[in-house]
Amino acid sequence: MTGRAPSRRRASTPRTRTAKTVKPVPTAGAGERIWILEVPFRVQLPGVSYVPAWKAHAYVGAELPAALAPYASLPYSYQRFVEDELNGEVGPGAQAHPRLPRPEQCDGAEAIVAAARAGARGFYLADDPGTGKTITAVMAVREIAELRGETSVLVTVDRPTSITIAHWRASIAAVGDGGLRWLLLSPDQLRKLLARNGKPRYRFGICVLDEAHLYRHTDTQRTTAMRRVARYTDAHDTAPFVLALTATPGHHPGEMTYLSPLFAQVHDEPPARWSPLGARMAAAGIPLERSGTRWTWTAQAKESGAVQQAATETVRGWLTEADPPVMLHRSAPWGPAPLDGLPVDLSADERSAYESEWGEYCREMGLARRGRDVARGRAAVLRFRQKAGMLRAPASAEWVHAQVERGYQVAVSVNFVGTAAEPLAELLTDRGLQVARIFGPDADREHERMLFQRGAADVVVFNTSSSISLHANELLADGTRASATPRVGLIHQPSYSGIEARQTLGRTHRDHQVCPWYLGYGVSTVEEQVAAVMLDRLRQSSDSVGADTTALHSIAELLGADWLPDDALS
């Protein structure tokens, strides 16, 4: 029997690391300059190269060719900011029809400036949706920059950036940019401002966090990037001034993490003492407890709306009772958005379809099923929410059509695209209505928004809850007005987020334009439970800033909420 010959082990040769070749950055010659271009993904242009060191596409030459003009940087964009840095000069600002600030916007700006003048490291502006926080912020920033000798301002905005950045650009231009270098970025773009070592590549003396609640969870990449760029760990006297804007601070005080340095300052403590925020609040007597990596109400607080309200009033007082105050909330002078329920009874066939196994339902409804797994837990709830929303689509389309016939333009908010936005848009189109579609990855969102705002579309179906305007008589960037046709809104699908609900109501109920809203849900479906949770969290989010919640009493009674005051019950 012959065995296998033993194999000889080869002597290992030491590995040599090959030096990474660093792509040289382009340089401008005599009579040339550098253009930083906004090039779409996977688009290649002649003479244009991507420069990793700048995290942008660049062209060098004496003039920008006509073929590249459509990709030129826009005022206040990241591309323009880098371009100005490289060329050593500031490009022209944006142009828009001048806008005269309202008295409440002037008063708000004065309150923010007063806090900055007193040495505050920030301010929280919590005015109701649609009250003009953007203009208030721009006015305040201009004065604070002059006061502190700052020249660069960072503004982070929510998505979709095709709408939100355009809105901020027009607002800055409408009241004047003050000769400042403004940079408008989405939260996901903040990492462009960090070097490889995680430190900021640029220093901003003023940071504006629009929709600041986007940074309430500290375990996300965008929050980590924001806190580094805004230098949250810096001492109070050397930190940038951070202006937080949101009407929806969170579902409980422990989610106001983006204000942690400000809480530290008003308590005369270092920023590190208030990280994590939940632990410091709990030590101060706020009924919070850790839940995984985050914080939530204690079991006792979850059972008592009164306990929650007392806690939010305490936290709010820390900011409003500072001298001078570092928080301001004003209710909309035109009152809170009316909100009522729109329950829908499912037919026997619809009920059967709702209760069927998800795979069978997909086959019946002609949807593509992904995978073969049987949904469990939260996934199952999600599936049933999708089913109920799609089954109710014909009823919602009929209701929307009736509102258009009554002389309204209708805004329809959805959570899901395939089982809500698309079927609803198709059903409404089949009824002969013109529908603007602000959903899906391929939508030209600003174009669709303007179709609705100028009255070319009877209905808008959208799935973004913040930072867009859909109200009547909006003053547009060119000085014209949106259609005067009154609006009515439908939340086709309830969600678990009170923040999202409050933001959605503010898309049309804003700038002195009253818009009633209705919340659709299937009777005796999971949607009814979701609607109750959403309403309770909407109440909590409103309580956090001291907002009026009386407009919620009607639908709260319909859904059997247990937090209604006795005098609100009929």
Side-chain angles (χ1 to χ4, degrees), residues 411-436:
V412 183
S413 169
V414 298
N415 282 124
F416 308 110
V417 173
T419 56
E422 290 175 347
L424 263 173
E426 291 174 6
L427 287 166
L428 292 167
T429 301
D430 290 344
R431 286 174 169 268
L433 301 179
Q434 298 298 316
V435 182

Side-chain angles (χ1 to χ4, degrees), residues 153-173:
V153 181
L154 171 65
V155 181
T156 68
V157 302
D158 197 4
R159 295 157 295 182
T161 54
S162 59
I163 292 177
T164 55
I165 287 183
H167 163 71
W168 266 90
R169 183 182 292 116
S171 298
I172 293 170

Side-chain angles (χ1 to χ4, degrees), residues 342-356 361 384-396 492 521-528:
L342 197 66
V344 175
D345 289 316
L346 301 184
S347 67
D349 289 343
E350 290 169 341
R351 178 68 58 182
S352 176
Y354 171 75
E355 294 175 351
S356 67
Y361 173 82
F384 278 101
R385 287 176 62 200
Q386 291 173 319
K387 286 197 288 187
M390 189 168 184
L391 289 167
R392 287 189 302 100
S396 289
H492 174 68
Y521 59 90
V523 175
S524 299
T525 70
V526 70
E527 286 187 316
E528 201 165 31

